[in-house]
Structures are given as C-alpha cells and as structure tokens.
Amino acid sequence: MAIVTLTNVTKVFGGRRNRVVAVDSVTLSVADGELVVLLGPSGCGKTTTLRLVAGLERLSSGTIEIDGRIVNEVAPRERDVAMVFQDYALYPHLTVQANLAFGLKMRRTPKPEIQRRVAEVVGFLGIEDLLDRKPHALSGGQQQRVAFGRAVVRRPGLCLFDEPLANLDARLRVQMRVELKRMQRELGMTALYVTHDQNEAMALGDRLVVMRDGAVQQIGRPLEVFERPANRFVAGFLGAPPMNFLEGRLAGANGRVAFECGGGRIAVPDALQALVSRCLGGPIVLGIRPERVSIVGGPSLGNGDARSDKDDAAIAVRVSTTESLGDHVNVYSRTRCGQEVVAKVAVSNAASSAVIDGGEAWAMFDVEGIALFEVGPSGANMGAGACGVEG
Ligand code: ADP
Ligand code: MG
C-alpha cells in the first residue's frame, strides 16, 4: 500500500551536445491501491520515469514522494518498491522456490514466514508444479509468473512493471494481464505499469497517463481518454485502426457550422456548435473513430439521395481495400480529394452494403462521434475549448 506523487519530475541525459530530455516536467499522483498505466510510443520516457521512482536514476529536478516522504535521495532498497521487467531477470542458477524466497532471505525474514509467504504466492499464481525447476526449464509465460511472484512475495507497497508482457505471445499476454490485475487487486498493491500497447493499457489501467517526448499529454480513466482525447496525438494513439483525421474548413450553412472538405459537408455536433462558431472559415481537422463510420450505397446513389449532402452526414468515397477480421471488417476508402477514411463495420453490414474494392460508396459519419482538432503540431481537441491555428 502506498501513495506516490511526482511533481515536475524531469530527467535530462547527456551533456551540452547530446542533451536528451527523457522526462519533461511530469506531474502525477497514484492513489493507494490504484493501477496507473504509463502509455506512449517507444522512447517517450516511460522506463526512465519508472527508474526514477525506483531510485535507479537520479532526478534532474522535481520531487518524488512515496507516502508523503520525499524520496529523491533515498536509496532504492529503502523505498519499499519492487520492479518487474520485460526480460524477467530471474536468477538462473536458483530454482523457482529459491528465486521466490531470495528477497525475503536477504531481508532476514524468519524461515516459517518465508515458507508461508512463498506458499501463498505460489497458490495464487498456480505454479505449484514448477517449484523445483530452474528458469531455463520454464516457458516465457511461466518465467514471467515467477517474476511477478518474486516481486510481490515481500508485499512491497508499490510495484513497478516495465512492459512485463511484451515478450509473450498475443494469447498469453491477454491471459497474463487478467491474472496480473486480479493479483494487484487482491493484494491491494499500488502499481505503476508501463506499456506501449494501448489494448493492454485500456484493459489494465484504473487511469492512463499518455506520454509523448517525455511529457504528459493526458491523464484520465481509460474511457475518458478514449472518448475525449486531449489532442490529436492521444486520439491517434488509442484505437485500432486509429481515428480518422480529415483536413478541411469550418463553413456556415443554414445558420449552423459545418465541416467542409473536397466536395463533402459534415454537420458539426450540437455540443460543439457554440465553441467553433467563432472559428468560421478557418482550417480545421475533423476526427472520427472507424467504429463511428459506416459504408453505404454504391455508384447508384447520386447526390440527390437522402443520405447524401442533405443530411450532412456522409462523404463520397471510393473503397480502396477491405480487411475481413472475422468479427468485423475494416473498410479503407478515399475521399474525392484523396483523404483516407477507414470504417470498422460489422460483417453483416459489409456484406449487405456490397462493399467492393474500387467501388464507389458513401462514408456515413455518426455525427455525435465527431471531434474537431486545431491545425498544427499539438492539435488540441477543440471540445476542450481552444480555437483556430496554433499561434
Ligand atoms: P521508453 O521506455 O518510453 O521507450 P526511455 O525512458 O527508455 O523510453 O527513453 C526516453 C529517452 O531517453 C530516449 O530518447 C532514450 O534514448 C533516452 N535515454 C534513456 N536512457 C538513457 C541514458 N542512460 N542515456 C542517454 N539517453 C537515455
Ligand atoms: Mg522502455
């Protein structure tokens, strides 16, 4: 059990000529018993952040508190923190049993207590049959189970996980993340978990911290971040296939604001009307998730069709390719001005709307699912209040 607080935590590597800001003024707090996931692409500073919390790196500036105590100068072993790595890092010459007992032994825990705690963890992880084996005789999944066990057996207040499932195959990864969450909950551990895998992050996290170039982009509950991304980077990082982005302009039509691009017009949802009315005429990026796009019609649907421009909810596209993935179909298409639109549709819908490669169709937008982003590198979500091109 532990509460962790990072305040303006910064880590700079290198000197004047090869300076890298690996962690850039990160502020976040993890509540007691909470599982917070640091999510972001490779190189965004996730591992460095964990190593700072563990005490394996020195901060350049900022403070880290564990249970209200500033630990900037506290040695790793005095922080009551355990860390699980991607490569397991088990002692190769020790049996599973000895690997599990090692940390407790080093802390001179009484033998009966060691036995009791190891037995508890072993039961929890279902590894009774593996106790006499050495790591080389274990599969990747089994090794990672033992690594979890070794981290939690001494009941640390805080457990840090650095992409612990990355070396496992897809199926095992899903199974292990369920086990990990159960273990974290039942033991009441506070956990900081690092991954670049958005599914893993969504599935595991009580909250997500999305990072880019060392800096926090957004902190929130998984669905909050998925549904109300702070900016275009976050919107594009979560979801598969990622959110569609269309460049266009805001135009007035019948007293309302609409999005226009290459011959198509899409209504702007009511909730955004007031926010964007002062940005009329300006460039804008429309975002919509593939789940909110459907594909209808074919060449026979002309401009007079009820589903076309009149409803301001569809754009004419040409289907470029489709991927049938069993439970759904990804339909890749292009607008007349060459912007890509991906729709994620049910198999039955794809069949009934006769989607064919090279065919003409309408990409229908569920207008309530539309987000509008600023043009420019940070691309703030205008639903969060901003307007126009970055200054
Ligand atoms: P992630 O875990 O998100 O992939 P890291 O925290 O490992 O990212 O790295 C963040 C940035 O810091 C990268 O640009 C990386 O090259 C750099 N970096 C990490 N460790 C060191 C180091 N010891 N010396 C110099 N640069 C480093
Ligand atoms: Mg890393």
Side-chain angles (χ1 to χ4, degrees), residues 9-333:
V9 166
T10 297
K11 177 66 185 178
V12 181
F13 287 113
R16 188 179 298 190
R17 275 199 286 142
N18 53 355
R19 193 168 177 274
V20 178
V21 182
V23 179
D24 191 357
S25 201
V26 167
T27 294
L28 74 100
S29 60
V30 186
D32 196 11
E34 192 181 24
L35 195 167
V36 168
V37 175
L38 302 182
L39 172 69
S42 177
C44 73
K46 306 181 296 293
T47 294
T48 306
T49 305
L50 275 200
R51 289 175 57 83
L52 288 165
V53 174
L56 302 172
E57 299 285 356
R58 268 188 74 93
L59 282 82
S60 302
S61 60
T63 53
I64 297 178
E65 285 168 64
I66 300 179
D67 284 332
R69 173 172 76 137
I70 294 180
V71 295
N72 289 20
E73 305 297 331
V74 174
R77 57 165 48 230
E78 268 130 50
R79 293 191 185 195
D80 190 24
V81 169
M83 194 152 168
V84 180
F85 303 93
Q86 177 174 343
D87 60 3
Y88 322 131
L90 297 173
Y91 304 114
H93 57 290
L94 297 182
T95 62
V96 167
Q97 167 93 34
N99 261 287
L100 292 172
F102 189 84
L104 294 169
K105 233 171 166 174
M106 294 304 286
R107 284 175 165 73
R108 304 192 188 286
T109 311
K111 209 164 178 188
E113 176 71 9
I114 295 183
Q115 281 171 347
R116 195 185 61 73
R117 291 224 219 159
V118 169
E120 182 190 54
V121 163
V122 164
F124 214 89
L125 293 167
I127 52 173
E128 293 87 348
D129 301 344
L130 307 178
L131 291 179
D132 298 325
R133 293 204 204 164
K134 293 197 174 157
H136 69 83
L138 301 175
S139 71
Q142 290 168 335
Q143 288 189 45
Q144 195 50 290
R145 256 190 210 109
V146 177
F148 287 169
R150 197 183 52 178
V152 302
V153 73
R154 53 181 187 83
R155 290 296 182 92
L158 172 65
C159 206
L160 306 175
F161 296 92
D162 192 357
E163 313 228 17
L165 308 181
N167 285 351
L168 306 178
D169 64 60
R171 200 188 173 89
L172 194 55
R173 213 151 56 214
V174 171
Q175 186 190 335
M176 292 287 287
R177 83 181 180 215
V178 175
E179 279 183 32
L180 188 143
K181 187 155 178 170
R182 182 178 58 100
M183 193 168 74
Q184 183 264 341
R185 286 282 190 271
E186 291 190 17
L187 298 177
M189 282 189 306
T190 305
L192 202 48
Y193 186 104
V194 159
T195 182
H196 65 273
D197 178 333
Q198 44 141 340
N199 286 326
E200 203 167 289
M202 295 281 293
L204 275 175
D206 293 314
R207 283 186 304 150
L208 308 186
V209 178
V210 185
M211 293 179 69
R212 175 195 202 183
D213 295 341
V216 172
Q217 303 293 300
Q218 188 169 8
I219 300 180
R221 282 183 284 125
L223 274 184
E224 213 169 78
V225 175
F226 187 81
E227 282 169 3
R228 288 194 298 284
N231 59 40
R232 192 170 156 173
F233 173 80
V234 175
F237 198 76
L238 290 169
M243 185 181 270
N244 293 294
F245 296 110
L246 293 169
E247 291 176 16
R249 305 202 149 263
L250 289 173
N254 314 323
R256 289 174 63 83
V257 183
F259 169 86
E260 286 187 351
C261 78
R265 186 161 69 212
I266 298 289
V268 165
D270 293 345
L272 289 173
Q273 283 287 332
L275 269 176
V276 300
S277 59
R278 63 207 165 91
C279 311
L280 269 186
I284 196 92
V285 175
L286 178 147
I288 188 157
R289 295 208 178 271
E291 292 83 351
R292 301 281 202 136
V293 182
S294 50
I295 298 285
V296 294
S300 62
L301 283 178
N303 277 336
D305 185 270
R307 280 175 294 196
S308 74
D309 301 10
K310 262 187 286 177
D311 288 349
D312 284 354
I315 280 189
V317 293
R318 184 179 291 280
V319 175
S320 38
T321 181
T322 55
E323 290 176 341
S324 292
L325 296 174
D327 56 345
H328 72 272
V329 179
N330 292 332
V331 181
Y332 294 80
S333 68

